Every structure is written in C-alpha cells, then in structure tokens.
Amino acid sequence: MEISPKDKFVTVYGRKPVLEALDDPRLDVDKVVLAETARGAAAREILDAAKRRGVRVQRATEQRVKVLAGNGRHDQGVLADVVAPRMLPLDLALDGPERPRGVLVLDGITTPANVGMILRTATAAGMDGIVVPRRGVASIDPLVVKASAGVAFRAPMLRCATAAEAAANLRAHGYPLFALDANAKESIYTADLPERAAFVLGSETNGISDDVRPHVTGWLSIPMFAGVESLNVASAAAVLCFEVVRRREAGR
C-alpha cells in the first residue's frame, strides 16, 4: 500500500516554524518549499539553514505554497515537510502484524491547542495510536505542533478521512469503542476495559458526533467532585490515557 505524503509528513509553514524545524537535529526534514517571490534576508536565512542540513529546497508559486500549506494567511511563502516516523494510515495499522492496543479517536476537536495537548499526553502515556482524521479535527499545523511542544512530530498518529470512518473500521476489526460522557453510569476506574480497545473523545460543545454514536459500545465517565461538571477535553484525555496504560502495566 503506497502511503500518501499527507500520511508521512507533518507540514509546518511560516518562517519561524520552518527555521525551528531546520535547526532541530532530532527532526528529519524531507524538503522545504519556498515561494518564487521570496527574497531578502528572511529567504536567505532559510536557504542557508537548509543547505547546512542538506535539505532540498523547491521553488514554487505563491499560490502553490498556499495550497500545500493549507493556510493562505500565515504561510509567509515557505513550508517544510517534516518526517513523522510513527504516522500511518489507520487501515495500514489495523491490518499490520502489530495491531495497536489502546487507540484514541479524536471526533470534532477543532481547537489546535487541545489537539496538540492530547497528542503530547497520549504519547507520553504510551498509547499505541491516536486517530487524527483529516476532516472535522484541527489540522496538524504549527499551532498544534507548538501546543504539543514538538511531540506531534513523533506521536503515533493514525490518519483517515473522518472519525465515523475510523469508528466503523475499528469496530470491523474487533475493537470495542468506548466514549466519554459525564452522565455515564460506568466509571473509567471500574469498567471492564479489554487491553485492545478504542476510546473516542468528542468536542466540548457537541460531544460525540451523530455519525460516531452508532458505533459506540460503551459509555464511561470520569468521577467528579465538589460540583465540577466536566473537564477540558485535553484534561479528560490525560486522565483516560494514563488509566488505560496503568491497567496495561498492572496486568503484566
């Protein structure tokens, strides 16, 4: 199966994010795309940084850079494709020899800061996969990378078109699908959670989307005290991920 560039690279755009990527020896930068109109000290700084790293630079029209970056206001005429070694299409991960155990599915989370923090937390906890759909969720852009403190580059991201597609695919491969809901009777601390399972996080405003709900096999809550009704989705993700991995470690 040939992997699309969108499922191999994290694309960063803007002069500062591109320079930061080029200056970080831990990152493998595949290429830089620079607008044909980019001139002056800023362009020279990027060209020099790319030369030092041995990274190829492609020239393209301003419009082409905007299309590739997916952001017409903030690309500043330059982008870089950074290799994300743990990013895979969801289909490939599920059909591979080492299927992920704990999988997180993002559903309708559009705030870049939340997506970035979830990527950082889930990776730190040791989750095997984080499904970041290409539609309906914030794009993996410099804002998400910044919120993740750079962890987005090495997070185990699994890509697909939509959260509903991910939910259906995971269920077809035998994964139970649990969703968080403040009113659920079953607590994440007491529920029977198999080692191989998927967990969906919905948006703070709309919760789990209507297209995903039919695939949910169980609803879980995080116990709250002192009249607190809910947590920010990134905070809830942290509680969930570390509980899932704690159980895995305890069962060894």
Side-chain angles (χ1 to χ4, degrees), residues 166-224:
N169 203 347
L170 285 159
R171 292 292 298 121
H173 281 81
Y175 287 74
L177 182 64
F178 296 95
L180 291 184
D181 186 287
N183 298 316
K185 294 180 180 180
E186 192 88 65
S187 161
I188 65 167
Y189 301 124
T190 58
D192 181 16
L193 303 178
E195 185 179 35
R196 181 167 280 112
F199 304 87
V200 59
L201 295 170
S203 72
E204 289 181 285
T205 52
N206 299 316
I208 306 301
S209 65
D210 291 340
D211 290 341
V212 171
R213 281 180 173 273
H215 302 289
V216 174
T217 58
W219 295 87
L220 305 172
S221 63
I222 297 174
M224 298 283 171

Coordinates of all heavy atoms in Angstrom, one line a residue, residues 166-224:
A166 N -13.2 6.0 11.0 CA -12.3 5.4 12.0 C -13.1 4.5 12.9 O -12.7 3.3 13.2 CB -11.6 6.4 12.8
A167 N -14.3 5.0 13.4 CA -15.1 4.2 14.3 C -15.6 2.9 13.7 O -15.5 1.8 14.2 CB -16.3 5.0 14.8
A168 N -16.0 3.0 12.4 CA -16.5 1.8 11.7 C -15.4 0.8 11.4 O -15.6 -0.4 11.6 CB -17.2 2.2 10.4
N169 N -14.2 1.3 11.1 CA -13.1 0.5 10.8 C -12.6 -0.2 12.0 O -12.3 -1.4 12.0 CB -12.0 1.3 10.2 CG -11.0 0.5 9.3 OD1 -11.0 -0.7 9.4 ND2 -10.2 1.2 8.6
L170 N -12.5 0.5 13.1 CA -12.1 -0.1 14.4 C -13.1 -1.2 14.8 O -12.7 -2.3 15.3 CB -11.9 0.9 15.5 CG -10.7 1.8 15.3 CD1 -10.9 3.1 16.1 CD2 -9.5 1.1 15.8
R171 N -14.4 -1.0 14.7 CA -15.4 -2.0 15.1 C -15.3 -3.2 14.2 O -15.4 -4.3 14.6 CB -16.8 -1.4 15.0 CG -17.1 -0.3 16.1 CD -17.1 -0.9 17.5 NE -18.2 -1.9 17.6 CZ -18.0 -3.1 18.0 NH1 -16.8 -3.6 18.2 NH2 -19.1 -3.9 18.0
A172 N -15.0 -3.0 12.9 CA -14.9 -4.1 11.9 C -13.7 -5.0 12.3 O -13.7 -6.1 11.9 CB -14.8 -3.6 10.5
H173 N -12.7 -4.4 12.9 CA -11.5 -5.1 13.3 C -11.6 -5.6 14.7 O -10.6 -6.1 15.3 CB -10.3 -4.2 13.1 CG -9.8 -4.1 11.7 ND1 -10.4 -3.3 10.8 CD2 -8.8 -4.8 11.0 CE1 -9.7 -3.4 9.6 NE2 -8.8 -4.3 9.7
G174 N -12.8 -5.6 15.3 CA -13.0 -6.2 16.6 C -12.7 -5.4 17.8 O -12.8 -5.9 19.0
Y175 N -12.5 -4.1 17.6 CA -12.3 -3.2 18.8 C -13.6 -2.8 19.4 O -14.5 -2.2 18.7 CB -11.5 -2.0 18.4 CG -10.1 -2.2 18.0 CD1 -9.7 -2.8 16.9 CD2 -9.1 -1.7 18.9 CE1 -8.3 -2.9 16.5 CE2 -7.7 -1.9 18.6 CZ -7.4 -2.5 17.4 OH -6.0 -2.7 17.1
P176 N -13.8 -2.9 20.7 CA -14.9 -2.2 21.4 C -14.6 -0.7 21.3 O -13.4 -0.3 21.3 CB -14.9 -2.8 22.8 CG -13.5 -3.2 23.0 CD -13.0 -3.7 21.7
L177 N -15.6 0.1 21.3 CA -15.4 1.6 21.2 C -16.1 2.2 22.4 O -17.3 2.2 22.5 CB -16.0 2.1 19.9 CG -15.8 3.6 19.6 CD1 -14.3 3.9 19.5 CD2 -16.5 4.0 18.3
F178 N -15.3 2.8 23.2 CA -15.8 3.5 24.4 C -15.8 5.0 24.2 O -14.9 5.5 23.6 CB -15.0 3.1 25.7 CG -15.0 1.7 26.0 CD1 -14.0 0.8 25.6 CD2 -16.0 1.2 26.8 CE1 -14.1 -0.5 25.9 CE2 -16.1 -0.2 27.2 CZ -15.1 -1.0 26.7
A179 N -16.8 5.7 24.7 CA -16.9 7.1 24.6 C -17.0 7.7 26.0 O -17.6 7.1 26.9 CB -18.0 7.5 23.7
L180 N -16.5 8.9 26.2 CA -16.6 9.6 27.5 C -17.9 10.4 27.5 O -18.2 11.1 26.6 CB -15.4 10.5 27.8 CG -14.1 9.8 28.0 CD1 -13.0 10.9 28.4 CD2 -14.2 8.8 29.2
D181 N -18.6 10.3 28.6 CA -19.8 11.1 28.8 C -19.9 11.4 30.3 O -19.9 10.4 31.1 CB -21.0 10.4 28.3 CG -22.3 11.3 28.3 OD1 -22.8 11.5 29.4 OD2 -22.7 11.7 27.3
A182 N -20.1 12.6 30.7 CA -20.2 13.0 32.1 C -21.3 12.3 32.8 O -21.3 12.1 34.1 CB -20.3 14.5 32.3
N183 N -22.4 11.9 32.1 CA -23.5 11.3 32.7 C -23.5 9.8 32.7 O -24.5 9.1 33.2 CB -24.8 11.8 32.0 CG -25.0 13.3 32.2 OD1 -24.8 13.8 33.3 ND2 -25.4 14.0 31.1
A184 N -22.5 9.2 32.1 CA -22.4 7.7 32.1 C -22.3 7.1 33.5 O -21.6 7.6 34.3 CB -21.2 7.3 31.2
K185 N -23.0 6.0 33.7 CA -23.0 5.3 35.0 C -21.7 4.6 35.3 O -21.3 4.5 36.4 CB -24.2 4.4 35.1 CG -25.6 5.1 35.0 CD -26.7 4.1 35.1 CE -28.1 4.8 35.0 NZ -29.2 3.8 35.1
E186 N -21.1 4.1 34.2 CA -19.8 3.3 34.4 C -18.6 4.3 34.5 O -18.4 5.1 33.6 CB -19.7 2.4 33.2 CG -18.6 1.3 33.4 CD -19.1 0.1 34.1 OE1 -20.0 -0.6 33.5 OE2 -18.7 -0.2 35.2
S187 N -17.8 4.1 35.5 CA -16.6 4.9 35.6 C -15.4 4.3 34.9 O -15.3 3.1 34.8 CB -16.3 5.0 37.1 OG -14.9 5.4 37.3
I188 N -14.5 5.1 34.4 CA -13.3 4.6 33.8 C -12.5 3.8 34.7 O -11.7 3.0 34.3 CB -12.5 5.7 33.2 CG1 -11.9 6.7 34.2 CG2 -13.2 6.5 32.1 CD1 -10.8 7.6 33.7
Y189 N -12.7 4.0 36.1 CA -11.9 3.3 37.0 C -12.4 1.9 37.4 O -11.7 1.1 37.9 CB -11.8 4.1 38.3 CG -11.1 5.5 38.1 CD1 -11.8 6.6 38.5 CD2 -9.9 5.6 37.5 CE1 -11.3 7.9 38.3 CE2 -9.3 6.9 37.3 CZ -10.0 8.0 37.7 OH -9.5 9.2 37.5
T190 N -13.7 1.7 37.1 CA -14.3 0.4 37.5 C -14.7 -0.4 36.3 O -15.0 -1.6 36.4 CB -15.5 0.6 38.4 OG1 -16.5 1.5 37.7 CG2 -15.1 1.3 39.7
A191 N -14.8 0.2 35.1 CA -15.3 -0.5 33.9 C -14.3 -1.6 33.5 O -13.1 -1.5 33.7 CB -15.5 0.4 32.7
D192 N -14.9 -2.7 32.9 CA -14.1 -3.7 32.3 C -13.5 -3.3 31.0 O -14.3 -3.2 30.0 CB -14.9 -5.0 32.2 CG -14.1 -6.2 31.6 OD1 -12.8 -6.1 31.6 OD2 -14.7 -7.2 31.1
L193 N -12.3 -3.0 30.9 CA -11.7 -2.5 29.7 C -10.7 -3.5 29.1 O -9.6 -3.7 29.7 CB -10.9 -1.1 29.9 CG -11.8 0.0 30.5 CD1 -10.9 1.2 30.7 CD2 -13.0 0.3 29.6
P194 N -11.0 -4.1 28.0 CA -10.0 -5.1 27.4 C -8.7 -4.3 27.0 O -8.7 -3.1 26.7 CB -10.8 -5.6 26.2 CG -11.8 -4.6 25.9 CD -12.2 -4.0 27.2
E195 N -7.6 -5.1 26.9 CA -6.4 -4.5 26.5 C -6.4 -3.8 25.1 O -5.8 -2.8 24.9 CB -5.2 -5.5 26.6 CG -3.9 -4.9 26.3 CD -2.8 -5.9 26.4 OE1 -3.0 -7.1 25.9 OE2 -1.7 -5.5 26.8
R196 N -7.1 -4.5 24.2 CA -7.2 -3.9 22.9 C -8.6 -3.2 22.8 O -9.6 -3.9 22.7 CB -7.1 -5.0 21.8 CG -7.2 -4.4 20.4 CD -6.7 -5.4 19.3 NE -5.2 -5.4 19.2 CZ -4.5 -6.4 19.6 NH1 -5.0 -7.5 20.1 NH2 -3.1 -6.4 19.5
A197 N -8.6 -1.9 22.8 CA -9.9 -1.2 22.8 C -9.6 0.2 22.2 O -8.5 0.7 22.2 CB -10.5 -1.1 24.2
A198 N -10.7 0.9 21.8 CA -10.6 2.2 21.2 C -11.5 3.1 22.1 O -12.5 2.7 22.6 CB -11.1 2.3 19.8
F199 N -11.0 4.4 22.2 CA -11.7 5.4 23.0 C -11.9 6.7 22.2 O -10.9 7.2 21.7 CB -10.9 5.7 24.3 CG -10.6 4.4 25.1 CD1 -9.5 3.7 24.8 CD2 -11.4 4.0 26.1 CE1 -9.2 2.5 25.5 CE2 -11.2 2.9 26.8 CZ -10.0 2.1 26.5
V200 N -13.1 7.1 22.1 CA -13.4 8.3 21.3 C -13.6 9.5 22.2 O -14.3 9.5 23.2 CB -14.6 8.1 20.4 CG1 -15.8 7.7 21.1 CG2 -14.8 9.3 19.5
L201 N -13.0 10.6 21.8 CA -13.2 11.9 22.6 C -13.9 12.9 21.7 O -13.5 13.2 20.5 CB -11.8 12.5 22.9 CG -10.9 11.7 23.9 CD1 -9.5 12.3 23.9 CD2 -11.6 11.7 25.3
G202 N -15.1 13.4 22.1 CA -15.8 14.3 21.3 C -15.5 15.7 21.6 O -14.8 16.0 22.6
S203 N -16.1 16.6 20.9 CA -15.8 18.1 21.1 C -16.5 18.5 22.3 O -17.5 17.9 22.8 CB -16.4 18.9 19.9 OG -17.8 18.9 19.9
E204 N -16.0 19.6 22.9 CA -16.6 20.1 24.2 C -18.0 20.7 23.9 O -18.8 20.7 24.8 CB -15.7 21.2 24.8 CG -14.4 20.5 25.3 CD -13.5 21.6 25.9 OE1 -12.8 22.3 25.2 OE2 -13.4 21.6 27.2
T205 N -18.2 21.2 22.8 CA -19.5 21.8 22.5 C -20.6 20.8 22.1 O -21.7 20.9 22.6 CB -19.4 22.9 21.4 OG1 -18.8 22.3 20.2 CG2 -18.6 24.1 21.9
N206 N -20.2 19.9 21.3 CA -21.2 18.9 20.7 C -21.1 17.5 21.2 O -21.9 16.6 20.9 CB -21.2 19.0 19.2 CG -21.5 20.3 18.6 OD1 -22.4 21.0 19.1 ND2 -20.7 20.8 17.7
G207 N -20.0 17.2 21.9 CA -19.8 15.8 22.3 C -19.5 14.9 21.2 O -18.9 15.3 20.1
I208 N -19.9 13.6 21.3 CA -19.7 12.6 20.3 C -20.6 12.9 19.1 O -21.8 13.2 19.3 CB -19.9 11.2 20.8 CG1 -19.1 11.0 22.1 CG2 -19.6 10.2 19.7 CD1 -17.6 11.1 21.9
S209 N -20.1 12.9 17.9 CA -20.9 13.2 16.7 C -21.9 12.2 16.4 O -21.8 11.0 16.8 CB -20.0 13.4 15.5 OG -19.4 12.2 15.1
D210 N -23.0 12.6 15.7 CA -24.1 11.7 15.4 C -23.6 10.5 14.5 O -24.2 9.4 14.6 CB -25.2 12.4 14.7 CG -25.9 13.4 15.6 OD1 -25.8 13.2 16.8 OD2 -26.6 14.3 15.1
D211 N -22.6 10.7 13.7 CA -22.1 9.7 12.8 C -21.3 8.6 13.6 O -21.2 7.5 13.1 CB -21.2 10.3 11.7 CG -22.1 11.0 10.7 OD1 -23.3 10.8 10.7 OD2 -21.5 11.9 10.0
V212 N -20.7 9.0 14.7 CA -19.9 8.1 15.5 C -20.7 7.3 16.5 O -20.5 6.2 16.8 CB -18.8 8.9 16.2 CG1 -18.0 8.0 17.2 CG2 -17.8 9.4 15.1
R213 N -21.8 8.0 17.1 CA -22.6 7.4 18.2 C -23.0 5.9 17.9 O -23.0 5.1 18.8 CB -23.8 8.2 18.4 CG -23.5 9.5 19.3 CD -24.7 10.3 19.6 NE -24.3 11.4 20.5 CZ -24.4 11.3 21.8 NH1 -24.8 10.1 22.4 NH2 -24.0 12.3 22.6
P214 N -23.5 5.6 16.7 CA -24.0 4.2 16.5 C -22.9 3.1 16.7 O -23.2 2.0 16.9 CB -24.4 4.2 15.0 CG -24.8 5.7 14.7 CD -23.7 6.4 15.5
H215 N -21.6 3.5 16.6 CA -20.5 2.6 16.7 C -20.0 2.4 18.2 O -19.3 1.5 18.4 CB -19.4 3.0 15.8 CG -19.7 3.2 14.4 ND1 -20.0 2.1 13.6 CD2 -19.8 4.3 13.6 CE1 -20.2 2.5 12.4 NE2 -20.2 3.8 12.4
V216 N -20.5 3.3 19.1 CA -20.1 3.2 20.5 C -20.7 2.0 21.2 O -21.9 1.8 21.1 CB -20.5 4.5 21.2 CG1 -20.1 4.4 22.7 CG2 -19.8 5.7 20.6
T217 N -19.8 1.2 21.8 CA -20.3 0.0 22.5 C -20.4 0.2 24.0 O -20.9 -0.6 24.7 CB -19.3 -1.1 22.2 OG1 -18.0 -0.8 22.7 CG2 -19.3 -1.5 20.8
G218 N -19.8 1.3 24.6 CA -19.8 1.6 26.0 C -19.6 3.0 26.3 O -18.8 3.7 25.6
W219 N -20.2 3.5 27.3 CA -20.1 4.9 27.7 C -19.4 5.0 29.1 O -19.8 4.2 30.0 CB -21.4 5.6 27.8 CG -22.0 5.7 26.4 CD1 -22.8 4.8 25.8 CD2 -21.9 6.8 25.5 NE1 -23.2 5.2 24.5 CE2 -22.6 6.5 24.3 CE3 -21.2 8.0 25.5 CZ2 -22.7 7.3 23.2 CZ3 -21.2 8.9 24.4 CH2 -22.0 8.5 23.3
L220 N -18.4 5.8 29.3 CA -17.7 5.9 30.5 C -17.6 7.4 31.0 O -17.7 8.3 30.3 CB -16.2 5.5 30.3 CG -16.0 4.1 29.6 CD1 -14.5 3.9 29.3 CD2 -16.5 3.0 30.6
S221 N -17.6 7.5 32.3 CA -17.5 8.8 33.0 C -16.2 8.9 33.8 O -15.7 7.9 34.2 CB -18.7 9.1 33.8 OG -18.8 8.2 34.9
I222 N -15.8 10.1 34.0 CA -14.7 10.4 35.0 C -15.4 10.9 36.2 O -16.0 12.0 36.2 CB -13.7 11.4 34.4 CG1 -13.0 10.8 33.2 CG2 -12.7 11.8 35.5 CD1 -12.1 11.8 32.4
P223 N -15.3 10.3 37.4 CA -15.9 10.8 38.6 C -15.5 12.2 38.9 O -14.3 12.5 38.9 CB -15.4 9.8 39.7 CG -15.1 8.5 38.9 CD -14.5 9.0 37.6
M224 N -16.5 13.0 39.3 CA -16.2 14.4 39.6 C -16.7 14.8 41.0 O -17.7 14.2 41.4 CB -17.0 15.3 38.6 CG -16.5 15.2 37.1 SD -15.0 16.0 36.8 CE -14.7 15.4 35.2

